[in-house]
Amino acid sequence: MSYLPIQQLLKTAPVGTEVTVKGWVRTKRESKNAIFIALNDGSTINNIQVVAEAGQLTEETLKLITTGACLAVTGELVESQGAGQAVEVKISNVHIYGTADPDKYPLQPKRHSLEFLREIAHLRPRTNTFSAILRIRHALAFAVHKYFNDNGFYYLNTPIITASDAEGAGEMFRVTTLDAIKPPLTEEGKVDYAQDFFGRETNLTVSGQLEGELGALALGKIYTFGPTFRAENSNTTRHLAEFWMIEPEMAFFELEDNMNLAEDFVKTVIRYALQHCADDLAFLDNRLKEEEKTKKKEEQSELGLLEKLQFVISNEFVRLTYTEAIDILVNSKPAKKGQFQYEVSWGVDLQSEHERYLVEKHFRKPVILTNYPREIKAFYMKQDEDSSASPGPTVRAMDVLFPGIGEIIGGSQREDNLDKLVARMQEVGIDPETIWWYLDTRRFGSAPHAGFGLGFERLVLFVTGMGNIRDVIPFPRAPKTAEF
């Protein structure tokens, strides 16, 4: 007799064998003839029912078997007499590892709001919804590493502590060991970071891209997958202060190559989740359907979760320029009727409502937009040599747009011309001396290269169908939120 996770036991253990199952009590139900206990160990969305005959367990033991208690049960695996499960365990012995006082344990067998569960993030993985999300998150992370390994990429670990601001937004968390009350000051009265641990001002990174480019221009194809941080005071359902980024960088890739990779990548990892997380996705699909019933008809999604995932992997992504997209949006019914919250014109940064209109209403396919105006994109993006077809200068940027979420990937071909890159940096107020090492890759053996970034939580949000990004990371970090 050996202990098997419930997922494995349900698949492989033959009826008639003696088994040991271990897990946490989800429910306990008593009848005249038997006691029914549903156990779950986190390995699967499915519980296993363990059954004791009436009088088999002492009253003292029964009082300790409550929702949340942790048990080890030994018994014979038999065909279930009731509906809902094929097999169950006929108890011969019960060992209680840990009890859970029903007057204090917050996860009782009833529906809890997501807001309440965020307040007990240390316990919410024990619920069906969050255990499913975390298993899917694991599968997607594994699929990311597998995809890049299978396609000849090298995993590069870029710094979490950095002195550069890759995005130029300035919304960064400072890293310092200086006295918070009386830091050393310069003669000008400013904080003297020369006396700090690193001898200069440093922050938590918002992106590993710049260092990733260094790796790509030596190893050919690399990817980063690690935590990133943004001190943006935003409480929206799409933003976190701490999140994980996937950032591949490829030497000798141009914009078309970048788009091809991005499309193949997201399709592959979503396909992996569909193949390996079928039970969890079916559960979340049903959950979303029930949630949709409570919404107004005009707010309901046209696609269920599983339909949405199939929609992405089954369709070729439509590719068009930003300029072409603006023409479509300007001439759309929502624009003409004033139904967009944000006005559309060439040169504006598209909002989620515009991106979703293109995907969900106009094309009804995932979309890749390219060649954005230079003024709304980062300094490192390659400038188009011929932008005569556009009202102004454009860059070789690309954004991948998904249904229900809008932009999920942002990337570009990188500027490999030293003079153009330096000029653009000066234009936006970045001192070239601060990232001299980045410019060295353009001085010594420069090459065409490209890359993109995908916020991992955005991907998990899309695949699970959840509505708030704080529900797809185990312990969310957001303004005024760092409890666990």
Side-chain angles (χ1 to χ4, degrees), residues 274-451:
L274 284 166
Q275 291 171 347
H276 293 84
C277 304
D279 288 346
D280 288 325
L281 286 171
F283 170 82
L284 292 175
D285 183 50
N286 287 329
R287 177 191 173 279
L288 191 60
K289 286 175 181 174
E290 292 301 313
E291 192 176 272
E292 288 290 304
K293 291 177 183 178
T294 66
K295 296 180 181 178
K296 297 177 182 177
K297 190 172 183 180
E298 61 271 18
E299 296 176 354
Q300 292 178 2
S301 175
E302 293 183 15
L303 298 174
L305 176 59
L306 294 176
E307 291 172 321
K308 189 171 62 173
L309 299 179
Q310 288 292 344
F311 171 89
V312 168
I313 66 174
S314 302
N315 283 293
E316 294 296 317
F317 292 9
V318 175
R319 302 179 184 190
L320 70 158
T321 67
Y322 167 92
T323 301
E324 291 168 333
I326 290 295
D327 288 340
I328 291 169
L329 291 166
V330 166
N331 292 300
S332 68
K333 285 184 180 179
K336 291 180 177 179
K337 292 182 177 181
Q339 293 172 339
F340 283 138
Q341 183 179 351
Y342 297 92
E343 190 176 339
V344 184
S345 62
W346 199 95
V348 302
D349 203 355
L350 295 182
Q351 300 296 317
S352 179
E353 61 176 344
H354 307 137
E355 296 167 339
R356 291 183 60 181
Y357 174 82
L358 293 169
V359 175
E360 298 167 25
K361 303 297 183 183
H362 187 81
F363 290 108
R364 294 185 175 272
K365 290 183 180 181
V367 170
I368 305 180
L369 293 187
T370 64
N371 305 91
Y372 280 77
R374 184 179 66 170
E375 296 306 316
I376 61 172
K377 289 297 182 180
F379 74 92
Y380 49 73
M381 297 187 177
K382 187 169 183 64
Q383 298 173 47
D384 283 314
E385 294 177 7
D386 180 13
S387 58
S388 59
S390 304
T394 58
V395 290
R396 295 183 190 175
M398 64 154 215
D399 285 348
V400 180
L401 314 180
F402 270 17
I405 201 167
E407 179 196 338
I408 194 166
I409 287 177
S412 71
Q413 185 174 340
R414 315 311 191 188
E415 182 57 75
D416 54 275
N417 181 286
L418 177 63
D419 293 338
K420 289 183 178 181
L421 184 57
V422 170
R424 179 65 178 143
M425 290 173 67
Q426 292 172 335
E427 193 177 303
V428 298
I430 299 174
D431 182 0
E433 286 301 312
T434 60
I435 51 172
W436 59 271
W437 43 269
Y438 180 73
L439 296 177
D440 267 2
T441 56
R442 276 66 170 177
R443 293 188 180 102
F444 310 127
S446 186
H449 60 289

Side-chain angles (χ1 to χ4, degrees), residues 25-41:
V25 176
R26 289 291 175 84
T27 60
K28 181 182 72 174
R29 178 170 57 87
E30 299 184 41
S31 71
K32 289 183 180 180
N33 300 318
I35 312 295
F36 303 93
I37 303 165
L39 280 187
N40 190 285
D41 64 359

Side-chain angles (χ1 to χ4, degrees), residues 47 121 154 222 243 475:
N47 301 327
Y154 297 102
I222 66 90
F243 51 99
F475 306 105

Side-chain angles (χ1 to χ4, degrees), residues 50-63:
V50 297
V51 184
E53 294 179 1
Q56 184 178 352
L57 303 178
T58 66
E59 284 298 319
E60 183 180 347
T61 299
L62 280 175
K63 285 180 181 179

Side-chain angles (χ1 to χ4, degrees), residues 2-12 20-22 41-44:
S2 60
Y3 159 64
L4 290 175
I6 291 173
Q7 180 192 45
Q8 191 176 346
L9 184 148
L10 291 173
K11 288 182 178 179
T12 63
T20 296
V21 292
K22 301 178 182 181
D41 64 359
S43 65
T44 172

